[in-house]
């Protein structure tokens, strides 16, 4: 019989690429990982790894084993979910990856609802960028992810993940208040001479923002880069920049920014994804339901108009 824990190490190597990365992810030493993989080769009776410079690659036989490990882990996850469903109380742990604005706008009310209705469920939240979090949920680092998708920029799909729409929010041009703006701006085209703050290159929001500006006829002057949307807000409110900001960011707060609608009124899509194998878990199902109730209530998406003078 092949040892399942060693097979899991082989799968982790296929996902993470190096023995060092596997060791770091699982809190093992690299030598311990190498030793266990050597034992697995002896159990299999054939080579599973081959040298490729300073790294190792999986052999075709190892790739066959990895595919089988996925099936075994899915079976075990389904069995665990069914066992939990057979209990009289909803309990267990839900590990959630979430991006910043959803963490601020959706998670507080959802966590309160879970604590009230299902006190035996432990919800653990980690902030992650959506594309990274989707892959990590597929890799079983998380049970569920709250992710985002910008217009004309589809989030990656991973096999075995069930996606469900959560909400959408408009994306608008955020400008400094009229009294501190460098010059009056009434449209996106008129913001061509303003300094911009955007997320770093590679982010879906950055791609969306640059393409929208270019389709309007100008290249944005991106002077400030940060993944922190709260920093975007402070730079706009202080009169140092303009930005394209989704409405969910304004949840629970007022702002001095002027918010202008964009051509065609684009919207960002927010969705959840979890492994199909874990869909029967009562704890995960309860959390997903509570999250959807929070999003559909509309209470988290505040009216982002400036306060009265």
């Amino acid at each position: 019989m092949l040892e399942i824990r060693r097979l899991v190490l082989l799968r982790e190597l296929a996902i993470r690429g190096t023995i060092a990365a596997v060791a770091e992810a699982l809190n093992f030493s690299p030598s311990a990982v190498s030793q266990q993989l050597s034992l697995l080769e002896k159990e299999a009776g054939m080579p599973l790894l081959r040298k490729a410079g300073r790294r190792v690659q999986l052999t075709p036989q190892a790739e066959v084993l990895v595919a089988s490990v996925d099936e075994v882990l899915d079976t075990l996850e389904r069995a665990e979910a069914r066992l939990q469903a057979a209990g009289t109380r909803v309990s267990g742990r839900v590990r959630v990856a979430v991006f910043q604005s959803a963490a601020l706008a959706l998670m507080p009310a959802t966590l309160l609802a879970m604590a009230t209705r299902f006190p035996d469920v432990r919800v653990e939240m980690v902030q992650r960028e959506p594309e990274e979090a989707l892959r990590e949920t597929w890799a079983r680092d998380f049970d569920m992810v709250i992710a985002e998708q910008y217009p004309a920029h589809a989030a990656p799909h991973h096999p075995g993940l069930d996606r469900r729409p959560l909400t959408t929010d408009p994306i608008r041009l955020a400008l400094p208040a009229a009294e501190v703006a460098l010059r009056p701006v009434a449209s996106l085209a008129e913001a061509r001479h303003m300094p911009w703050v955007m997320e770093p290159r590679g982010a879906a929001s950055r791609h969306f923002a640059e393409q929208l500006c270019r389709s309007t006829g100008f290249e944005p002057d991106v002077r400030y880069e940060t993944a922190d949307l709260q920093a975007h807000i402070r730079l706009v409110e202080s009169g140092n920049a303009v930005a394209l900001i989704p409405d969910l960011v304004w949840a629970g707060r007022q702002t001095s920014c002027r918010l202008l609608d964009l051509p065609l009124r684009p919207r960002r899509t927010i969705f959840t994804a979890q492994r199909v194998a874990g869909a029967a878990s009562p704890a995960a199902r309860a959390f997903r339901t509570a999250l959807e109730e929070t999003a559909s209530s509309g209470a988290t998406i505040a009216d982002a108009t400036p306060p009265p003078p």
Side-chain angles (χ1 to χ4, degrees):
M1 291 289 291
L2 298 174
E3 169 59 53
I4 183 63
R5 288 173 294 182
R6 294 177 187 138
L7 287 169
V8 169
L9 287 177
L10 185 66
R11 177 184 181 272
E12 290 290 327
L13 180 59
I15 292 171
R16 303 184 191 278
T18 67
I19 288 176
V22 173
E24 181 179 0
L26 301 182
N27 293 318
F28 290 170
S29 68
S31 60
V33 174
S34 296
Q35 182 183 36
Q36 291 300 308
L37 291 174
S38 295
L39 290 173
L40 180 61
E41 282 189 313
K42 291 180 180 178
E43 291 175 350
M46 60 185 66
L48 300 177
L49 303 175
R50 61 187 174 207
K51 291 284 187 180
R54 296 185 178 181
R55 307 179 69 170
V56 293
Q57 291 181 341
L58 273 64
T59 64
Q61 294 85 356
E63 297 285 358
V64 171
L65 278 181
V66 168
S68 298
V69 176
D70 282 329
E71 296 173 6
V72 171
L73 292 177
D74 282 347
T75 299
L76 291 174
E77 188 170 7
R78 283 193 293 267
E80 183 179 0
R82 289 167 185 158
L83 180 63
Q84 292 172 349
T88 57
R89 292 178 64 85
V90 178
S91 62
R93 180 179 66 157
V94 182
R95 300 163 299 168
V96 184
V98 57
F99 63 98
Q100 185 190 47
S101 55
L104 293 172
L106 299 174
M107 289 300 293
T110 301
L111 292 173
L112 284 173
M114 289 296 295
T116 301
R117 300 180 204 167
F118 306 103
D120 295 331
V121 175
R122 175 185 174 93
V123 179
E124 298 177 357
M125 180 185 76
V126 176
Q127 184 176 318
R128 284 284 194 278
E129 290 304 306
E131 294 197 8
E132 175 187 8
L134 283 163
R135 177 175 172 79
E136 290 176 334
T137 301
W138 166 78
R140 301 178 189 275
D141 292 344
F142 299 101
D143 300 308
M144 192 177 303
V145 57
I146 306 172
E148 63 179 355
Q149 183 168 283
Y150 277 78
H153 194 286
H157 285 266
H158 295 282
L161 288 188
D162 168 47
R163 291 193 185 196
R164 189 183 298 177
L166 188 59
T167 188
T168 65
D169 57 340
I171 305 166
R172 294 191 278 178
L173 176 63
L175 298 155
E179 61 270 21
V180 297
L182 297 179
R183 65 178 67 184
V185 171
S187 67
L188 177 63
E190 293 180 10
R192 67 178 65 240
H193 302 297
M194 302 285 286
W196 285 75
V197 56
M198 291 186 183
E199 292 198 48
R201 292 188 182 278
S205 62
R206 175 66 174 264
H207 178 265
F208 164 77
E210 288 183 331
Q211 291 302 310
L212 186 63
C213 291
R214 289 167 184 167
S215 67
T216 307
F218 69 95
E219 189 71 24
D221 177 11
V222 183
R223 298 190 195 179
Y224 315 109
E225 289 189 6
T226 173
D228 186 346
L229 293 187
Q230 299 302 307
H232 288 213
I233 292 172
R234 293 297 297 272
L235 286 169
V236 177
E237 289 179 335
S238 62
N240 288 292
V242 298
L244 297 177
I245 298 182
D247 270 12
L248 196 64
V249 173
W250 308 111
R253 62 168 291 166
Q254 293 182 321
T255 180
S256 62
C257 294
R258 293 192 297 123
L259 302 175
L260 297 183
D261 289 331
L262 296 169
L264 303 180
R265 302 194 175 214
R267 301 180 72 89
R268 175 182 64 165
T269 300
I270 300 168
F271 63 94
T272 58
Q274 72 174 129
R275 290 182 301 281
V276 174
S281 164
R285 191 164 57 239
F287 174 79
R288 206 175 199 183
T289 299
L291 184 63
E292 289 170 350
E293 290 174 354
T294 297
S296 64
S297 70
T300 62
I301 304 178
D303 180 10
T305 56

